Amino acid sequence: MKVASDKPQAASKNADSLQLAACGFELPPLALYIHIPWCVRKCPYCDFNSHAAGPTLPEEEYVDALLADLDSDLQHAHDRPLTSIFFGGGTPSLFSDRALGRLLEGVERRIAFADDIEITLEANPGTFEQAKFKGYRSLGINRLSIGVQSFQEAKLKALGRIHNGDEAIRAADMARAAGFDNFNLDLMHGLPEQSIEDALFDLRTAIAQAPTHLSWYQLTMEPNTVFWSQPPQLPEDDLLWDIQEAGQALLAAEGYAQYEVSAYARPGRQARHNLNYWTFGDFLGIGAGAHAKRSTPDGRILRTWKTRLPKDYLDPSKAYQAGERVLDAEELPFEFLMNVLRLTEGAPVELFSQRTGLPLAQLDGARREGERLGLLQTDDRRLVATARGQLFLNDLLQLFLA
């Protein structure tokens, strides 16, 4: 039988607990990430933990493993309900509604769901079937994230996608017909040989599908991908900047407010699961290669990760958890701000102490320097990057490194 590799938690000291309480430390909201690692085909730009699926998927065995993995993590829930669940991948929509239904029932038996829980499923247009998606909706899955990337045949071919533009449009139609009134479309820009007109065509086509949310982000070359070793010809920096400006203006004019570096939403339709990440909330992670961030009542903050290869994850002789790291107090300011400064409105200043247990005064020197450089807004109530700070976020974050 598999066992978790967590070490027993150290007993908290009274002095440490009093200091944390004085700083306002609180256990943050809790979310759950579920990783489904299989795809029809690995895309040449993808650095996620995804693997080409065989003729059959081990659905039953994998659901069993996911629930056993969750059992090993239950001690870290600390009686908090789940505010959101996100099925990521890979391509989670390769799994049947029956398998996902058994999984969700098992999760809810173990951890309570918040009344307004958001449950998101990533899906690719090439895997859409109307009956299957009606089944997903009946399970309580109430949000889809559809990986379109482009609506143009040449661009999709260059990206190694398995769908075409018409299938992407039909996927949005089928999502609505299945009862999903909340869905995201994923789009890339800065694609091989892309012009401003190409990028705006993709955005206009996406907007015409009336998604509640758009993720619009630049293609980057990541290590351990085909594109890293065989890079395509990408637009020059000046053209990339022009595409970014033109696209942001179009999205704003169409009522999609930018609330994060690459996320745009209709009013009230921000991705709550991702907002939890960006506000340094906690999340459990189950599935091959899943990562997690969790806090303990005594104020420790940990990053953990699971066994990466599906065959190892399904091997009962191997532990689900592959490793963990306790974050040092010196690195917490950077870890916290790396997330919240991605948000266009940042975060209230009191959130820093609530999430880290550290006094706000610890940021004083770096805050003043960020303000002097025009990277951080001068605001006593919020931690917010300026427009320039958003563009040079890495430079801003370097100020908060210990």
Side-chain angles (χ1 to χ4, degrees):
M1 176 182 290
K2 288 201 178 188
V3 295
S5 61
D6 289 352
K7 297 177 182 178
Q9 295 183 11
S12 61
K13 296 180 180 179
N14 290 337
D16 292 339
S17 299
L18 288 172
Q19 184 178 11
L20 289 165
C23 290
F25 175 79
E26 301 174 4
L27 281 176
L30 182 68
L32 174 66
Y33 175 76
I34 301 173
H35 193 74
I36 310 290
W38 292 283
C39 285
V40 173
R41 182 173 64 200
K42 181 84 170 180
C43 295
Y45 59 84
C46 179
D47 69 334
F48 295 140
N49 184 32
S50 59
H51 307 266
T56 59
L57 289 174
E59 284 190 344
E60 293 300 314
E61 298 91 333
Y62 197 70
V63 170
D64 288 341
L66 287 169
L67 292 175
D69 188 1
L70 182 58
D71 283 335
S72 69
D73 280 353
L74 284 181
Q75 61 183 310
H76 308 303
H78 300 296
D79 295 322
R80 290 171 291 177
L82 292 176
T83 59
S84 64
I85 297 173
F86 194 100
F87 289 93
T91 306
S93 54
L94 289 176
F95 268 37
S96 67
D97 56 338
R98 181 185 56 79
L100 295 188
R102 185 165 77 86
L103 175 56
L104 282 173
E105 287 175 5
V107 172
E108 191 170 15
R109 283 198 302 269
R110 290 162 171 82
I111 307 181
F113 287 7
D115 291 340
D116 61 347
I117 189 171
E118 175 192 88
I119 305 178
T120 301
L121 177 81
E122 283 188 339
N124 285 338
T127 65
F128 263 70
E129 299 170 17
Q130 190 67 66
K132 183 195 286 188
F133 279 80
K134 284 184 177 177
Y136 292 153
R137 186 67 188 90
S138 71
L139 300 175
I141 297 171
N142 51 23
R143 185 175 181 273
L144 292 179
S145 184
I146 305 172
V148 171
Q149 314 314 347
S150 177
F151 292 91
Q152 299 171 74
E153 303 303 313
K155 302 295 185 286
L156 289 167
K157 184 176 180 180
L159 292 173
R161 304 296 288 174
I162 65 171
H163 66 273
N164 59 40
D166 289 340
E167 287 174 322
I169 292 172
R170 285 198 297 272
D173 290 338
M174 283 193 280
R176 282 189 295 271
F180 289 95
D181 62 356
N182 189 15
F183 66 92
N184 168 68
L185 296 181
D186 261 358
L187 280 180
M188 286 184 177
H189 61 87
L191 304 181
E193 300 181 9
Q194 188 178 49
S195 65
I196 294 178
E197 292 73 22
D198 289 336
L200 293 181
F201 172 85
D202 276 345
L203 274 178
R204 290 191 181 102
T205 306
I207 290 167
Q209 311 317 311
T212 50
H213 190 284
L214 277 162
S215 297
W216 190 58
Y217 51 93
Q218 184 179 323
L219 172 63
T220 56
M221 303 295 100
E222 302 292 346
N224 302 315
T225 66
V226 173
F227 275 3
W228 181 261
S229 57
Q230 304 171 36
Q233 185 66 44
L234 300 182
E236 298 291 336
D237 287 345
D238 286 347
L239 179 54
L240 289 172
W241 177 249
D242 291 341
I243 288 173
Q244 180 84 13
E245 283 195 317
Q248 288 177 331
L250 174 61
L251 286 162
E254 294 291 337
Y256 290 90
Q258 183 178 13
Y259 69 98
E260 188 268 343
V261 170
S262 59
Y264 305 77
R266 296 287 193 194
R269 294 295 196 169
Q270 295 90 342
R272 282 188 277 150
H273 187 84
N274 290 341
L275 278 174
N276 186 58
Y277 284 170
W278 295 323
T279 53
F280 215 47
D282 279 359
F283 56 95
L284 302 178
I286 59 174
H291 285 241
K293 177 257 176 182
R294 61 177 201 257
S295 307
T296 65
D298 64 358
R300 291 185 305 143
I301 297 174
L302 302 88
R303 299 278 188 190
T304 66
W305 53 96
K306 299 297 173 64
T307 299
R308 181 177 177 83
L309 294 178
K311 67 179 181 64
D312 292 334
Y313 186 80
L314 290 169
D315 184 342
S317 69
K318 297 182 179 179
Y320 293 116
Q321 183 160 300
E324 73 172 33
R325 187 171 71 86
V326 179
L327 300 182
D328 294 331
E330 291 76 14
E331 59 188 321
L332 283 177
F334 179 86
E335 287 275 339
F336 175 84
L337 292 165
M338 179 177 62
N339 288 281
V340 302
L341 291 181
R342 291 179 62 93
L343 297 168
T344 56
E345 295 185 0
V349 292
E350 59 267 20
L351 193 68
F352 176 72
S353 295
Q354 290 171 5
R355 295 287 191 266
T356 67
L358 300 175
L360 183 63
Q362 189 159 331
L363 302 180
D364 283 352
R367 283 180 76 184
R368 286 194 296 270
E369 181 64 8
E371 291 166 2
R372 186 187 71 79
L373 294 172
L375 301 176
L376 201 64
Q377 291 185 24
T378 303
D379 189 333
D380 291 337
R381 297 169 301 173
R382 300 189 71 82
L383 296 163
V384 193
T386 61
R388 176 179 172 81
Q390 287 272 318
L391 289 174
F392 299 100
L393 191 55
N394 286 339
D395 294 332
L396 173 55
L397 291 171
Q398 290 299 312
L399 302 176
F400 295 93
L401 282 173

